[in-house]
């Protein structure tokens, strides 16, 4: 339902990637060997105050969502603490080594109700050298019903009704 490889953002120091919000501090949009491909984000900008990269989404209650992303160490020797959040789910990288290669990580979240929820990537500290982020993707594990091809809809609906009546029978 969402993906951004940052390649459409403008590169530069202390810039905000297109469509994102940077709270309290700055990030850099960098390129070349820092990235999986194209452009990516150094989570600690160039103002001595690491940013929190954030973005909000309207999500449906009860649906399982998966946030996945590629995260690398700073590639400049320093270690970094990085906190990732997705709704109420969190994932913390404690002393992520500068040499830690790009790795795909994920974080799942199931909203309790329909609403607007955020993802955020926060690098601790502010030495202008941060962990590097590329390829942020959110998928809905349940899949929207609109993706079901038409001819199968009726059959699935019938199956759903059968399951419902089965459930009801079992409750008695
Ligand atoms: Ca990229
Ligand atoms: Ca930086
Ligand atoms: Ca740092």
């Amino acid at each position: 339902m969402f993906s951004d490889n940052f390649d459409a953002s403008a590169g530069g120091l202390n810039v905000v990637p297109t469509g994102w919000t940077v709270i309290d501090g700055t990030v850099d949009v960098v390129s070349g060997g820092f990235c999986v491909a194209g452009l990516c984000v150094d989570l600690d900008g160039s103002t001595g105050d690491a940013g929190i990269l954030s973005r909000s989404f309207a999500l449906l209650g009860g649906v399982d969502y998966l946030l996945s992303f590629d995260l690398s160490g700073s590639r400049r020797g320093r270690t970094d603490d990085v906190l990732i959040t997705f709704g109420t789910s969190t994932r913390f990288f404690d002393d992520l080594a500068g040499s830690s290669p790009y790795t795909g990580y994920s974080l799942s979240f199931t909203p309790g109700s329909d609403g607007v929820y955020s993802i955020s990537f926060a690098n601790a500290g502010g030495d202008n050298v941060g962990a590097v982020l590329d390829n942020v993707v959110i998928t809905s594990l349940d899949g929207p019903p609109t993706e079901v091809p038409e001819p199968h809809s009726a059959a699935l609906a019938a199956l759903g009704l059968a399951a419902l009546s089965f459930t009801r029978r079992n409750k008695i």
Side-chain angles (χ1 to χ4, degrees), residues 13-97:
L13 303 181
N14 309 317
V15 297
V16 179
T18 303
W20 293 77
T21 302
V22 176
I23 306 162
D24 189 33
T26 55
V27 302
D28 297 324
V29 175
V30 295
S31 61
F34 281 112
C35 307
V36 173
L39 300 172
C40 56
V41 177
D42 173 358
L43 292 170
D44 189 347
S46 302
T47 56
D49 184 8
I52 301 172
L53 182 68
S54 173
R55 191 161 183 145
S56 297
F57 300 91
L59 302 179
L60 300 173
V63 173
D64 297 327
Y65 294 95
L66 189 72
L67 165 67
S68 56
F69 52 94
D70 292 330
L71 187 72
S72 136
S74 69
R75 297 170 173 251
R76 286 155 288 176
R78 316 265 181 92
T79 61
D80 283 280
D81 290 346
V82 185
L83 177 66
I84 320 288
T85 71
F86 181 20
T88 54
S89 300
T90 61
R91 181 157 186 171
F92 183 61
F93 295 85
D94 190 13
D95 286 338
L96 183 68

Side-chain angles (χ1 to χ4, degrees), residues 131-150:
V132 195
L133 175 72
D134 207 348
N135 299 328
V136 177
V137 177
I138 298 177
T139 50
S140 160
L141 298 180
D142 294 358
T146 49
E147 283 182 6
V148 176
E150 266 315 305

